[in-house]
Amino acid sequence: MASEASVAEQQKQVQENIHLQISNFCKHMDGILLPDSKADDVTVSSSSRTNMAPRPSGLGLAVGRNTPSKVAPVVSKTKPLTRSELSAKLKELTGYTLEVKPSQIQHKDAGNGLFLDSEVDAGSVVGFYPGVTYSPAYYQYIPGYPRDDLHNPYLITRYEGIVIDAQPWGYGGESLESWDGSKTGSDRVWKMLSRPLNGARKGSVLERRNPLALAQFANHPAKGMTSNVMVCPSDFPMNEKDMRAYIPNISFGNDEVNMSKFGRFWFKSWKSNHQNGCSDPLVPHKSYVSTHPLGLD
């Protein structure tokens, strides 16, 4: 029983459950998107869409310099489905998907809200928080820092201090593509507030049509209401190629930089993923998990 397990064991069980759900989601996405595959036969790994030729160093596109670019990741073909078409097909397989519509919260700043299209059980992964992740070592490069919140309502912080900026992700895109965290469109304010760091944006081949990568549009519950989702942080090794394209996050800066907090201050140090039992870089991530059964009103 859960009550008899230690806190550490319970946390491990939660992480394993989240990982399994996301793994199943990735298999469904492969079944929908990979050419000549079937929804009930998804043994083809999505790593076939993210082959490197040769593998880049992670310093893909230098920011703010005119230097020869590194060899870009090879983006393989997927079925030419629109975001809405992909979302509908995912619902056929999983029973639900997400929609962004005007919020029902009575507040002048509510804007759009995130809605579940169908029903899910408690403990279901219902959304991903996409975007660029910043460790405390790179806070100063968050666009607009130190008053980054003035122009960006899509910042969220994990328990250990990693910030995820979903603003450059927006609503996603219309294809599988190599994405380095650049914001789509021509938002002059965002570009003006961005501070370049040479080689800091590490591009990855990501599925920008991801129907669950919309958690940034979920609003806080109104006064007197209880939250219907909780945030679950997790880390995905870069070597999990069958899942990488569907984890909608990239890291800003050097994976080997670590920060330790003492009181109100952060101090820079260096780390190795071997210390965490992992020889590959980790992708910080956040999922939204339902706290109770959710359904159509």
Side-chain angles (χ1 to χ4, degrees), residues 8-24 125 232-234 236 243:
E9 182 62 27
Q10 292 181 49
Q11 291 176 335
K12 179 182 177 182
Q13 292 173 1
V14 169
Q15 288 293 327
E16 290 176 345
N17 180 274
I18 297 300
H19 189 279
L20 177 61
Q21 290 190 57
I22 296 178
S23 177
N24 289 335
V125 174
C232 181
S234 53
F236 286 86
M243 301 175 67

Side-chain angles (χ1 to χ4, degrees), residues 169-239:
W169 181 271
Y171 288 88
E174 290 291 347
S175 66
L176 175 76
E177 63 185 68
S178 178
W179 189 65
D180 68 351
S182 297
K183 187 174 182 181
T184 56
S186 57
D187 192 321
R188 293 184 179 181
V189 174
W190 187 87
K191 292 179 179 179
M192 180 177 64
L193 294 174
S194 297
R195 298 182 60 187
L197 176 62
N198 292 338
R201 291 178 180 169
K202 302 182 178 182
S204 292
V205 175
L206 301 182
E207 181 48 73
R208 297 268 286 148
R209 294 167 291 184
N210 192 329
L212 298 191
L214 296 168
Q216 70 273 28
F217 295 107
N219 284 320
H220 290 287
K223 185 177 181 180
M225 297 176 60
T226 58
S227 177
N228 53 19
V229 295
M230 65 179 296
V231 176
C232 181
S234 53
D235 297 312
F236 286 86
M238 291 284 286
N239 64 358

Side-chain angles (χ1 to χ4, degrees), residues 2-287:
S3 59
E4 297 176 351
S6 66
V7 173
E9 182 62 27
Q10 292 181 49
Q11 291 176 335
K12 179 182 177 182
Q13 292 173 1
V14 169
Q15 288 293 327
E16 290 176 345
N17 180 274
I18 297 300
H19 189 279
L20 177 61
Q21 290 190 57
I22 296 178
S23 177
N24 289 335
F25 162 77
C26 294
K27 291 177 181 178
H28 286 312
M29 292 287 283
D30 273 352
I32 297 170
L33 290 170
L34 293 185
D36 302 321
S37 67
K38 298 180 181 179
D40 59 349
D41 183 10
V42 291
T43 58
V44 180
S45 170
S46 63
S47 61
S48 64
R49 294 172 289 101
T50 58
N51 291 331
M52 304 298 180
R55 183 178 180 180
S57 66
L59 301 181
L61 299 176
V63 180
R65 284 172 52 182
N66 290 322
T67 57
S69 60
K70 303 292 183 179
V71 177
V74 175
V75 182
S76 300
K77 291 184 178 180
T78 57
K79 293 180 180 178
L81 300 174
T82 65
R83 278 188 299 160
S84 59
E85 290 171 339
L86 176 57
S87 181
K89 288 185 175 293
L90 179 67
K91 183 181 178 181
E92 292 177 2
L93 294 177
T94 65
Y96 73 94
T97 189
L98 298 176
E99 293 182 324
V100 177
K101 299 186 295 186
S103 176
Q104 296 177 354
I105 295 177
Q106 301 302 313
H107 190 281
K108 62 181 180 66
D109 296 324
N112 287 326
L114 189 63
F115 295 84
L116 184 72
D117 183 5
S118 196
E119 302 176 349
V120 297
D121 295 327
S124 299
V125 174
V126 296
F128 305 147
Y129 204 97
V132 183
T133 68
Y134 296 83
S135 73
Y138 297 103
Y139 279 176
Q140 62 184 308
Y141 296 100
I142 300 175
Y145 180 87
R147 299 305 306 276
D148 41 80
D149 58 317
L150 290 179
H151 299 279
N152 189 354
Y154 300 115
L155 296 170
I156 193 171
T157 306
R158 298 198 339 168
Y159 67 95
E160 84 283 57
I162 289 179
V163 172
I164 304 179
D165 180 9
Q167 190 171 67
W169 181 271
Y171 288 88
E174 290 291 347
S175 66
L176 175 76
E177 63 185 68
S178 178
W179 189 65
D180 68 351
S182 297
K183 187 174 182 181
T184 56
S186 57
D187 192 321
R188 293 184 179 181
V189 174
W190 187 87
K191 292 179 179 179
M192 180 177 64
L193 294 174
S194 297
R195 298 182 60 187
L197 176 62
N198 292 338
R201 291 178 180 169
K202 302 182 178 182
S204 292
V205 175
L206 301 182
E207 181 48 73
R208 297 268 286 148
R209 294 167 291 184
N210 192 329
L212 298 191
L214 296 168
Q216 70 273 28
F217 295 107
N219 284 320
H220 290 287
K223 185 177 181 180
M225 297 176 60
T226 58
S227 177
N228 53 19
V229 295
M230 65 179 296
V231 176
C232 181
S234 53
D235 297 312
F236 286 86
M238 291 284 286
N239 64 358
E240 294 205 41
K241 299 299 184 182
D242 56 337
M243 301 175 67
R244 180 64 189 103
Y246 304 122
I247 305 300
N249 302 101
I250 63 169
S251 299
F252 185 98
N254 193 325
D255 295 303
E256 298 298 315
V257 177
N258 193 19
M259 296 291 283
S260 300
K261 189 175 184 180
F262 296 91
R264 298 175 56 190
F265 302 97
W266 290 93
F267 294 88
K268 184 181 295 187
S269 60
W270 293 85
K271 67 176 181 179
S272 171
N273 285 324
H274 290 285
Q275 297 174 357
N276 300 323
C278 178
S279 59
D280 285 274
L282 299 174
V283 182
H285 174 71
K286 265 193 171 186
S287 299

